[in-house]
Amino acid sequence: MKLGIVGLPNVGKSTLFNSLTKAGALAANYPFATIDPNVGVVSVPDERIEKLGELYHTKKVTPAVIEFVDIAGLVKGASKGEGLGNQFLSNIREVDAIVHVVRCFEDANVVHVDGNINPLRDIETINLELIFADIEVLERRVAKQTRAAHNDKKAAKEVDMLKRLIAHLEAGKMAKTFELADEEEEELYAINNLLTDKPVIYAANVAEDDLADDAASNPHVQAVREFAKEDGSGVFVICAQIEQEIAELDDDEKAMFLEDLGLSESGLEKLIKASYDLLGLMSFLTAGEDECRAWTIKKGTKAPQAAGKIHTDFERGFIKAEVVNYKDLLEYGSLAAAREKGLVGMEGKDYVVQDGDVILFRFNV
C-alpha cells in the first residue's frame, strides 16, 4: 500500500511524515528504507504475527508494510507548475490513497499561508489543483482520441465520455463522483490514475489539548468530519507535534506516554486503520519456524488469489488451503492440536479469506 501525504505549507504535513516513518521504523523488524528524501517504508503494527513468532520460535517476523510519500511543493497554482507543482503531481499519481493533512489548530507562532485557519478552504485549494491537473490530462486525451474518432466508433464513444467528465470536473466535482454507464468502465480505465479519483483520508492536525476527547469540541475538526461524510472520505484526528515526540520513544515509554495523554493508540496506528478501512484491506498470516508473515489483501479475496500474493506459482498450482484462525492456533499451541479440535479447515478455490486467517497453501506446479 502506498499513501501520499499532501497539504498546504505549515499545516504539519512534513512533521507528520517524519514522525510516522520514524515511529514505524523504531518498532519494526522491516528495515526503514529511504527510497529518496521524501519516501519512507514502515511496518504495519500487528501483534498477531509477533505472538505467532513466539509460538513457532521463528527466525524472522515480517509485517505488512506501507510506503509513505511526502508530496512536496503543493501550493495554489501547483497544477500550473507553481512550487514544485509538476513534480508533486507525478508523485501523487502513483499512490493508492491520499492522506490530506489539514490544519485544525490555532498558533500565532505558526503562520498560515492564507492568513487564518480555515480547513475547508484549504481542502478546496488542494482539490482545485487536483481538478485542474486532471482536466489537463483529459484534454490531451480528448485531442488524441478525436483524431482517431473519425474512423473508430470506440474512440468516438470515449471522446463523448471524456467531455462529460471534463464538464463534471469544471463544475468543481471530483472524478470519483462521476457516474459511468457499465460499458464506459473500460474507457475510464484507459486514463487511470486520475488524481481526483483516489480515495482520501483527512488527517485533522490539532493541538495536544484536543486529543483526549478526539477533538469533539474543535469546530474546525467538526467541519472536516461533515465534509468528509458527504465526500465518502475517511477522517482521523492527530497531533503531529505529539507524534514527533512519540517517535523518539521506545515501545514501553510510548505506551506510558499514550496512557498519560488518555490515548489508546498512536497516530500511525489510527492512520493504518483508517487506510485499511477506506481501501477495504485486511491481512492473512503465514507461520512457521523460518518466518511468520502478514500479507495484505482486499476483503473478499479468494484463496487462490491470496496464495498468488506469496508467489504466482501458488495461485497457478493451487490445490487446497489449510486454514485456522490465529486465536485458535494460539489457544491450542500448535496446528496439530487445533486440527484435533476440528478447528482447521481444508478449503478450496471458492474459500473467501478472512482477516486473521493463518494459512498453509498446498499447490502443485
Side-chain angles (χ1 to χ4, degrees), residues 253-318:
E253 290 173 326
K254 189 184 297 182
M256 290 173 61
F257 188 75
L258 288 171
E259 188 178 341
D260 288 345
L261 290 171
L263 303 175
S264 59
E265 56 189 357
S266 69
L268 176 61
E269 290 165 318
K270 280 185 182 180
L271 175 53
I272 288 169
K273 283 182 180 178
S275 304
Y276 270 59
D277 286 345
L278 187 68
L279 295 172
L281 301 176
M282 64 178 198
S283 296
F284 74 91
L285 315 168
T286 53
E289 291 183 5
D290 288 333
E291 184 182 36
C292 288
R293 183 163 182 166
W295 304 86
T296 302
I297 57 172
K298 279 200 170 287
K299 292 175 181 175
T301 299
K302 292 186 177 180
Q305 288 68 51
K309 289 288 289 185
I310 300 174
H311 198 286
T312 53
D313 284 349
F314 284 28
E315 180 176 358
R316 189 158 53 93
F318 177 88

Side-chain angles (χ1 to χ4, degrees), residues 85-364:
N86 295 330
Q87 176 187 327
F88 144 73
L89 294 170
S90 63
N91 285 342
I92 201 173
R93 287 197 190 280
E94 304 305 317
V95 303
D96 298 305
I98 295 170
V99 180
H100 187 159
V101 183
V102 286
R103 179 171 166 179
C104 296
F105 66 90
E106 304 280 352
D107 187 339
N109 297 316
V110 182
V111 177
H112 190 286
V113 67
D114 286 326
N116 65 323
I117 309 304
N118 186 336
L120 296 188
R121 178 201 57 213
D122 296 352
I123 289 171
E124 183 182 16
T125 296
I126 287 183
N127 284 352
L128 283 173
E129 294 307 317
L130 302 184
I131 286 170
F132 293 150
D134 278 350
I135 288 172
E136 187 178 336
V137 168
L138 293 172
E139 286 178 339
R140 287 200 301 268
R141 179 79 179 182
V142 166
K144 179 182 176 182
Q145 292 301 84
T146 299
R147 290 191 293 272
H150 299 296
N151 304 309
D152 186 340
K153 288 184 179 179
K154 187 176 179 182
K157 187 177 172 185
E158 182 182 338
V159 168
D160 177 66
M161 183 273 291
L162 294 176
K163 285 181 176 178
R164 286 191 288 113
L165 177 53
I166 289 171
H168 180 83
L169 293 170
E170 286 175 339
K173 301 172 183 175
M174 309 294 268
K176 61 186 174 184
T177 64
F178 181 65
E179 292 187 9
L180 286 164
D182 291 341
E183 65 273 14
E184 290 177 333
E185 291 287 350
E186 188 179 337
E187 280 82 1
L188 191 60
Y189 182 77
I191 46 154
N192 60 2
N193 281 343
L194 286 179
L195 303 177
T196 58
D197 197 35
K198 295 186 182 295
V200 177
I201 305 164
Y202 293 103
N205 188 16
V206 301
E208 179 182 338
D209 293 345
D210 283 330
L211 279 178
D213 68 348
D214 203 33
S217 57
N218 184 314
H220 299 309
V221 175
Q222 298 314 313
V224 173
R225 282 180 169 142
E226 285 299 316
F227 179 87
K229 188 176 179 181
E230 295 174 12
D231 191 46
S233 299
V235 181
F236 73 106
V237 172
I238 198 165
C239 175
Q241 201 59 48
I242 290 296
E243 291 302 315
Q244 193 170 41
E245 294 177 34
I246 290 173
E248 305 292 335
L249 306 175
D250 63 32
D251 285 352
D252 290 340
E253 290 173 326
K254 189 184 297 182
M256 290 173 61
F257 188 75
L258 288 171
E259 188 178 341
D260 288 345
L261 290 171
L263 303 175
S264 59
E265 56 189 357
S266 69
L268 176 61
E269 290 165 318
K270 280 185 182 180
L271 175 53
I272 288 169
K273 283 182 180 178
S275 304
Y276 270 59
D277 286 345
L278 187 68
L279 295 172
L281 301 176
M282 64 178 198
S283 296
F284 74 91
L285 315 168
T286 53
E289 291 183 5
D290 288 333
E291 184 182 36
C292 288
R293 183 163 182 166
W295 304 86
T296 302
I297 57 172
K298 279 200 170 287
K299 292 175 181 175
T301 299
K302 292 186 177 180
Q305 288 68 51
K309 289 288 289 185
I310 300 174
H311 198 286
T312 53
D313 284 349
F314 284 28
E315 180 176 358
R316 189 158 53 93
F318 177 88
I319 300 172
K320 290 284 183 184
E322 195 167 12
V323 182
V324 61
N325 182 274
Y326 88 99
K327 289 181 180 176
D328 293 331
L329 183 55
L330 289 174
E331 182 178 350
Y332 291 100
S334 71
L335 191 62
R339 193 182 290 118
E340 285 179 11
K341 295 291 183 181
L343 298 170
V344 179
M346 291 298 290
E347 307 292 352
K349 291 182 178 180
D350 290 331
Y351 177 72
V352 177
V353 176
Q354 302 299 306
D355 187 49
D357 278 349
V358 182
I359 306 180
L360 176 62
F361 292 106
R362 302 193 183 281
F363 69 103
N364 183 28

Side-chain angles (χ1 to χ4, degrees), residues 3 6 11 13 15 44 51 55 67 89 119 164 171 178 190 244 314 327 331 333 346:
L3 302 178
V6 306
V11 297
K13 175 178 64 70
T15 301
V44 175
K51 289 179 179 177
L55 177 66
E67 186 174 314
L89 294 170
R164 286 191 288 113
F178 181 65
Q244 193 170 41
F314 284 28
K327 289 181 180 176
E331 182 178 350
M346 291 298 290

Side-chain angles (χ1 to χ4, degrees), residues 63-75:
V65 297
I66 293 179
E67 186 174 314
F68 287 107
V69 185
D70 183 22
I71 308 293
L74 184 53
V75 293

